[in-house]
Amino acid sequence: MTNLVELEIGGMTCASCASRIEKKLNRMDGVSATVNYATEKAAVTVTDPAVSVADLIATVENTGYTAAVPTPEPEAETPREADPLRTRLLVSIALTVPVVVLAMVPAWQFEYWQWLSLTLAAPVVAWGGLPFHRAAWVNLRHGAATMDTLVSMGTLAAFGWSVWALFFGTAGEPGMTHPFRFAIERGDGSGSIYLEAAAGVTVFILAGRYFETRAKRRAGAALRALLELGAKDVGVLRGGAEVRIPVAQLAVGDRFVVRPGEKVATDGVVEEGSSAVDASMLTGESVPVEVGAGDAVVGATVNAGGRLVVRATRVGADTQLAQMATLVERAQTGKAQVQRLADRISGVFVPIVIAIAVGTLGYWLGTGNGATAAFTAAVAVLIIACPCALGLATPTALLVGTGRGAQLGILIKGPEVLESTRTVDTVVLDKTGTVTTGQMALVDVTAGAGEDRDEVLRLAGAVEAGSEHPVARAIARAAAERGALPPVEGFRSTQGVGVEGSVEGLGVTVGRPASGTRVPDDLAAVMRTAEAVGRTAVVVSWDGRARGILAVADAVKPTSRAAVAALRRLGLTPVLLTGDNATVAKAVAAEVGIDEAVAGVLPAGKVDVVKRLQDEGKVVAMVGDGVNDAAALAQADLGLAMGTGTDVAIEAADLTLVRGDLTAAVDAIRLSRRTLRTIKGNLFWAFAYNVAALPLAAAGLLNPMIAGGAMALSSVFVVSNSLRLRGFTGSAPGSR
């Protein structure tokens, strides 16, 4: 039996920490774990029943970190997470500024300036840098080295050298001065102290950590906003009276009231009333949807119109909102292939850097350049090499991208989906419910000579209102939208033929032409044309003569043609797939601009079509919404399920599109590709920065304080670049 456990991890300060915890968990029998530094969570799959949650927590704690099962509700303290770090940063800045100014301006170096610098720098290095020193010590006790090890070693080495020089060297003598050159050049190392470097580096890295923490919190804001969308209390009808209770106490089957302006408390079905419901926070579409008795509504949507009475069908973790939040959180906790590569690099980078620093120190000492010059170069290597940006490159982009997707009604199931969207070259579109509405609709009314179109539709709609056939419902619905329908007497339905009844004294027949009914040549031609393009042609007649033709079809969604064109612009070749006959398939394909249509396909056949395309070397995406699409969605390299479809289809897919609109598929692929591009851009700049700066530092051409500032800024750059994804906009009309 497989058990999925989520743990909140505390004490991580860099990507190397996440990598260490992940390795320790994965060494346990029957455990597969992924630890995400950005979300500070571990997703653990346990296949061995002997392994308990307590065992997992103990393993994390033995590694030097904390672990706990997350609480169901988002913590109210989240917005204040960065406050202790902010205090530490502000105090450190206040103490460091005089130290740096004195070191930079020789004219201000009074007789005992170096001792004042020591007094001010000591609390910065000891207290300001305490998070780095503590993390380095914890890791040392467990025989590991992380990026904090580099920071701690570098700042303590610079501070320790300065203390030695002041107490045991010549740097503490009254009147000692030395120039400070903020440039890339080789120093001679004579009589220098590095208090400004030790304090300055600590401040720069603290600042980078603080802004990183703030940015991570902003990046996860979309998910927190999603979790907070729901209503807090609800008016439930009990014993004929309305009682206000917390939403958490709602049960399936409860009937509750939703007034204008209120949020729908949970997923349900409207039993009384009609209104317009604003679902923009879930679907990204700003146009309210009309609902009435029998229509489904989703929790957290807003009632924009009249009073509704709704019967609850799903509560708690089963609601669409809760499932969306779970999908988003799982995606953010997972890891893409590119991130695993970055984690592996981070895992081996620290010991390599320490070796380079030791080698640099030995080289400079061995070539007779002096201990100070050798020491300066070694400290710069330690500081510049911290690959914090490398560890943040993927998780922050993934965090922002999936959060923005959720706001637009696009749920990315896992980070591996991002790689799939880049390689896909063919998209298979299920017809019914995906390209078309999935409901029969009246698409054309043709009146015979001397007849009025509206009158033909009004009389036909009146008779069809008594039938439950999908074609009849489509005609009745279209007629009712244009005005009230007259009463019908003597209604009769004949299977396979149609319906008839007396309306305003006329014996109206709707369906196939009755025996003896004359169909004029012009109407007969209209019938043949409609049937040739896959439409159902219905004859309306009275007094023994056909008066008009109604064409009914599964209507193409208004946005489908534009969506198909957009998919082509993304480099995808669309293929239409349907169980309908070839005539219907070709007509729909032609209407939306698809060249290839595969008709008459059973559910198993849909899988075969996807396999055939894959065997031809194509990388296939599949878009569908029904139970009969689930197997094909799972077979495809990338499965996209319409959120208006069945739970089975959604479970089988890689991406869920909350909007029942094909343009959402376009947005999903665009967003996924852009997120992947952001990740790759982040990784390039983070890694290129380390590769380019290390030789400069080892050559003694990089001041340790410049190194610290550059390292901190690289992390801030990566996070800021990821936050640009928040500006992604959907292509669908009305999407935000």
Side-chain angles (χ1 to χ4, degrees):
M1 183 179 171
T2 301
N3 188 23
L4 183 64
V5 179
E6 187 177 74
L7 297 175
E8 287 181 346
I9 307 295
M12 290 194 297
T13 54
C14 63
S16 296
C17 300
S19 184
R20 282 192 58 232
I21 299 168
E22 195 172 283
K23 283 180 184 174
K24 291 282 187 181
L25 288 170
N26 284 327
R27 283 178 189 158
M28 299 174 68
D29 291 334
V31 172
S32 174
T34 296
V35 180
N36 191 309
Y37 168 51
T39 58
E40 297 181 342
K41 288 185 178 178
V44 188
T45 303
V46 181
T47 55
D48 187 346
V51 178
S52 66
V53 175
D55 295 331
L56 299 174
I57 293 174
T59 299
V60 175
E61 290 176 344
N62 290 337
T63 313
Y65 304 89
T66 63
V69 176
T71 53
E73 296 296 323
E75 295 182 13
E77 294 77 23
T78 302
R80 298 193 292 274
E81 283 173 0
D83 281 2
L85 199 55
R86 182 172 178 267
T87 303
R88 198 179 294 269
L89 172 63
L90 292 176
V91 172
S92 297
I93 289 173
L95 295 173
T96 300
V97 168
V99 176
V100 174
V101 169
L102 286 172
M104 288 177 66
V105 187
W108 291 358
Q109 293 171 0
F110 54 88
E111 192 169 2
Y112 289 105
W113 71 273
Q114 67 271 46
W115 294 99
L116 176 63
S117 293
L118 176 65
T119 304
L120 295 172
V124 175
V125 175
W127 176 76
L130 185 61
F132 313 123
H133 307 319
R134 186 189 292 126
W137 172 245
V138 168
N139 289 316
L140 184 64
R141 282 171 47 210
H142 290 87
T146 67
M147 285 169 256
D148 289 304
T149 308
L150 303 182
V151 176
S152 182
M153 284 178 64
T155 55
L156 289 178
F159 185 78
W161 175 271
S162 302
V163 170
W164 181 89
L166 286 168
F167 284 96
F168 303 105
T170 60
E173 295 177 358
M176 186 279 288
T177 63
H178 71 72
F180 182 89
R181 288 180 294 274
F182 204 73
I184 296 179
E185 60 181 339
R186 185 170 299 170
D188 59 10
S190 59
S192 296
I193 56 175
Y194 293 99
L195 293 170
E196 77 284 353
V201 165
T202 301
V203 165
F204 276 128
I205 295 174
L206 266 177
R209 206 54 73 80
Y210 168 69
F211 288 116
E212 173 191 315
T213 303
R214 277 189 62 197
K216 279 162 56 180
R217 191 172 70 230
R218 285 174 63 202
L223 178 59
R224 283 193 299 277
L226 200 63
L227 291 168
E228 292 166 4
L229 279 177
K232 307 304 177 193
D233 55 22
V234 58
V236 181
L237 295 175
R238 289 187 177 158
E242 185 179 330
V243 182
R244 298 299 291 187
I245 63 169
V247 168
Q249 295 178 15
L250 260 182
V252 173
D254 280 347
R255 298 172 76 240
F256 60 90
V257 177
V258 189
R259 292 183 176 81
E262 285 187 340
K263 291 180 180 178
V264 177
T266 192
D267 297 0
V269 175
V270 177
E271 291 200 337
E272 296 176 23
S274 61
S275 180
V277 173
D278 179 2
S280 59
M281 70 284 294
L282 292 179
T283 65
E285 288 185 293
S286 58
V287 181
V289 178
E290 296 291 333
V291 296
D295 290 331
V297 288
V298 178
T301 54
V302 178
N303 179 12
R307 178 181 182 273
L308 297 175
V309 175
V310 180
R311 177 173 47 82
T313 55
R314 293 195 286 194
V315 297
D318 295 328
T319 63
Q320 186 173 328
L321 178 67
Q323 289 172 356
M324 281 177 68
T326 301
L327 280 172
V328 174
E329 205 160 12
R330 279 183 191 166
Q332 292 179 346
T333 307
K335 291 193 179 181
Q337 190 176 342
V338 285
Q339 184 179 353
R340 295 187 185 280
L341 175 62
D343 287 347
R344 284 198 296 273
I345 293 170
S346 296
V348 299
F349 200 66
V350 175
I352 289 174
V353 167
I354 292 173
I356 292 173
V358 171
T360 300
L361 182 68
Y363 172 79
W364 284 99
L365 288 173
T367 53
N369 282 279
T372 308
F375 175 77
T376 302
V379 169
V381 167
L382 287 174
I383 293 167
I384 199 69
C386 293
C388 292
L390 200 62
L392 286 167
T394 297
T396 51
L398 195 62
L399 200 64
V400 181
T402 52
R404 181 60 184 143
Q407 290 176 326
L408 291 170
I410 300 163
L411 305 183
I412 302 171
K413 249 186 193 174
E416 63 282 351
V417 172
L418 303 179
E419 274 102 355
S420 299
T421 60
R422 179 177 57 85
T423 55
V424 162
D425 56 25
T426 303
V427 57
V428 175
L429 306 174
D430 172 57
K431 180 185 77 71
T432 307
T434 302
V435 175
T436 65
T437 61
Q439 290 185 335
M440 299 300 281
L442 182 70
V443 293
D444 192 21
V445 179
T446 304
E451 302 294 341
D452 180 69
R453 289 176 76 252
D454 291 339
E455 182 68 6
V456 169
L457 178 59
R458 186 176 76 90
L459 296 176
V463 179
E464 293 281 39
S467 172
E468 287 300 313
H469 192 280
V471 171
R473 287 208 302 269
I475 294 170
R477 186 168 57 246
E481 287 172 359
R482 304 191 186 192
L485 300 179
V488 179
E489 296 177 1
F491 173 82
R492 189 175 67 178
S493 174
T494 306
Q495 189 172 359
V497 177
V499 294
E500 58 182 283
S502 177
V503 184
E504 297 178 345
L506 297 173
V508 180
T509 303
V510 185
R512 295 182 184 278
S515 176
T517 299
R518 187 171 67 84
V519 180
D521 293 342
D522 57 338
L523 292 183
V526 169
M527 279 183 69
R528 289 193 296 271
T529 302
E531 289 169 351
V533 294
R535 295 174 176 176
T536 300
V538 177
V539 178
V540 182
S541 57
W542 59 82
D543 293 339
R545 183 167 175 263
R547 308 288 178 160
I549 302 294
L550 307 181
V552 177
D554 180 4
V556 170
K557 292 179 180 177
T559 55
S560 290
R561 185 173 182 83
V564 168
L567 288 169
R568 286 188 183 279
R569 288 195 296 273
L570 290 173
L572 305 178
T573 302
V575 176
L576 186 70
L577 198 61
T578 178
D580 273 348
N581 61 62
T583 302
V584 173
K586 287 178 182 177
V588 172
E591 188 173 348
V592 297
I594 296 176
D595 298 328
E596 183 180 353
V598 183
V601 182
L602 297 174
K606 292 187 178 184
V607 177
D608 293 337
V609 171
V610 172
K611 282 182 178 176
R612 172 177 64 78
L613 291 167
Q614 289 170 329
D615 290 342
E616 292 172 2
K618 306 262 177 54
V619 182
V620 182
M622 168 78 186
V623 186
D625 72 329
V627 173
N628 60 350
D629 299 320
L633 287 168
Q635 173 65 37
D637 299 284
L638 178 68
L640 299 93
M642 292 292 188
T644 49
T646 64
D647 291 342
V648 178
I650 291 169
E651 187 63 32
D654 302 304
L655 282 156
T656 300
L657 314 173
V658 179
R659 299 200 308 265
D661 184 341
L662 197 54
T663 54
V666 178
D667 291 342
I669 293 172
R670 283 178 55 237
L671 176 61
S672 297
R673 288 183 176 180
R674 184 165 162 190
T675 303
L676 186 63
R677 281 200 306 273
T678 301
I679 289 171
K680 290 188 172 181
N682 285 349
L683 286 172
F684 171 79
W685 287 111
F687 194 66
Y689 153 83
N690 284 122
V691 169
L694 266 176
L696 286 175
L701 300 175
L702 208 57
N703 182 291
M705 193 157 68
I706 299 175
M711 192 278 288
L713 287 172
S714 70
S715 292
V716 175
F717 166 78
V718 161
V719 175
S720 301
N721 189 43
S722 297
L723 286 170
R724 290 171 57 224
L725 284 166
R726 296 172 75 188
F728 177 89
T729 54
S731 58
S735 64
R736 297 169 299 162

